[in-house]
Amino acid sequence: MRLILLALLLSTNLAFSQNYFNYLGTLMLNNNTPISFKLELIEDEGIVNGFSITNIGTKDETKSEITGLYFKTDKSFQLQETQILETKSEAPLNTFCYINMNLSFQGSFRSKRIEGDFIGNFLDSTKCASGKIFLMEEKKIKKLIKKKNL
């Protein structure tokens, strides 16, 4: 009985150590071209895994694997796309731009958002894009859209 209780306590403790992030927004390229962008992440003891989606709802929508680190002290992320999980695009995979991001929480507790810089590289490490990322919690964006009847 004690062993079962100990196992339950440990599994409960482990479940609460994970943080889930579901953010939606925009990649803004340096030439001011916006690209829709979504991040779904799980953070556990500073290790982050999840996925991103770019070009949401278009013929080029692409889902990529994300790995990285979360730094609790300054509430920042260091993330990178590592591989394409699925895409609607017909472009060859070697032409895809993989994003490396440095993001941090901005704003007050009530309107938290994630912002930062990114650099994109082809598989051969050649730079293919750079710019800024602006994200808010997906549920907050959907609530704003519903409120504004957009």
Side-chain angles (χ1 to χ4, degrees), residues 14-23 39-44 77 105 137:
L14 289 173
F16 287 115
S17 69
Q18 291 184 339
N19 291 305
Y20 298 90
F21 301 95
N22 188 356
Y23 281 75
L39 276 179
E40 284 196 30
L41 307 171
I42 297 173
E43 179 269 331
D44 188 11
F77 294 90
F105 286 103
E137 285 183 314

Side-chain angles (χ1 to χ4, degrees), residues 17-121:
S17 69
Q18 291 184 339
N19 291 305
Y20 298 90
F21 301 95
N22 188 356
Y23 281 75
L24 186 62
T26 304
L27 294 174
M28 187 62 72
L29 300 176
N30 280 340
N31 67 4
N32 291 325
T33 301
I35 298 173
S36 57
F37 189 67
K38 178 178 182 169
L39 276 179
E40 284 196 30
L41 307 171
I42 297 173
E43 179 269 331
D44 188 11
E45 296 184 13
I47 305 299
V48 179
N49 290 292
F51 64 88
S52 65
I53 301 177
T54 53
N55 295 308
I56 300 165
T58 72
K59 65 178 179 60
D60 292 319
E61 181 175 286
T62 300
K63 181 177 182 179
S64 301
E65 182 178 65
I66 296 276
T67 62
L69 301 171
Y70 175 69
F71 302 98
K72 190 174 183 177
T73 53
D74 64 355
K75 296 181 169 84
S76 69
F77 294 90
Q78 196 172 49
L79 305 170
Q80 62 185 20
E81 291 179 331
T82 57
Q83 67 176 329
I84 304 298
L85 298 173
E86 56 188 73
T87 185
K88 294 179 182 176
S89 176
E90 294 180 10
L93 288 180
N94 66 348
T95 64
F96 280 75
C97 193
Y98 294 84
I99 301 171
N100 295 300
M101 306 162 252
N102 291 305
L103 307 172
S104 60
F105 286 103
Q106 304 292 321
S108 66
F109 177 74
R110 189 170 176 193
S111 64
K112 271 194 179 171
R113 58 193 187 280
I114 297 177
E115 295 180 7
D117 299 316
F118 76 90
I119 294 176
N121 294 302

